[in-house]
Amino acid sequence: MYGNSPLGDDSTVELTANQRRTLRQDLASVAARTRNLLPGEFVVGSELRQGAEGPRATVAVRPPVGSVVSADYELDGDGVVDTDRDELARGLAASAALQVKRAMPDDPTPTAK
């Protein structure tokens, strides 16, 4: 019944070498800006990989406690959609800090008196 009929859109985004290089630089820039906003205990990284629907660009933060926070870049047919890198870095840093706050008890016991 389904034979040769496509069930989905087979179009994927293919990046040129120049677009891939630019995207990696953008990811590194956002990761560096995010690192500057957070203490050293937070681990910040970026990744560019090929997904089922095309390239996926992600920046992620692993707080010392709590869940990992990540943000994906939007890609269009031409490659990268221009985003505000400072806003993305601030949002990731704030979300990571909130994860730490949520993971900490409401009444922490002091380590010393």
Side-chain angles (χ1 to χ4, degrees), residues 7-81:
L7 296 177
D9 185 13
D10 287 340
S11 63
T12 59
V13 176
E14 294 293 328
L15 297 177
T16 66
N18 192 35
Q19 288 172 323
R20 188 173 297 278
R21 184 174 29 260
T22 300
L23 183 55
R24 286 180 200 253
Q25 289 172 350
D26 287 348
L27 289 171
S29 171
V30 171
R33 291 174 190 191
T34 305
R35 264 186 222 101
N36 288 337
L37 295 170
L38 294 168
E41 294 84 15
F42 290 76
V43 178
V44 181
S46 61
E47 178 181 51
L48 178 60
R49 66 188 183 286
Q50 186 66 32
E53 297 176 3
R56 305 263 311 161
T58 304
V59 178
V61 180
R62 179 180 300 278
V65 294
S67 301
V68 173
V69 177
S70 65
D72 287 339
Y73 259 62
E74 294 180 25
L75 303 174
D76 64 7
D78 296 327
V80 182
V81 173

Side-chain angles (χ1 to χ4, degrees), residues 64-107:
V65 294
S67 301
V68 173
V69 177
S70 65
D72 287 339
Y73 259 62
E74 294 180 25
L75 303 174
D76 64 7
D78 296 327
V80 182
V81 173
D82 191 26
T83 59
D84 186 354
R85 291 171 193 88
D86 287 327
E87 184 178 329
L88 182 59
R90 284 191 303 269
L92 279 168
S95 295
L98 183 60
Q99 287 299 316
V100 171
K101 184 176 183 291
R102 287 182 179 162
M104 298 299 288
D106 289 335
D107 187 24

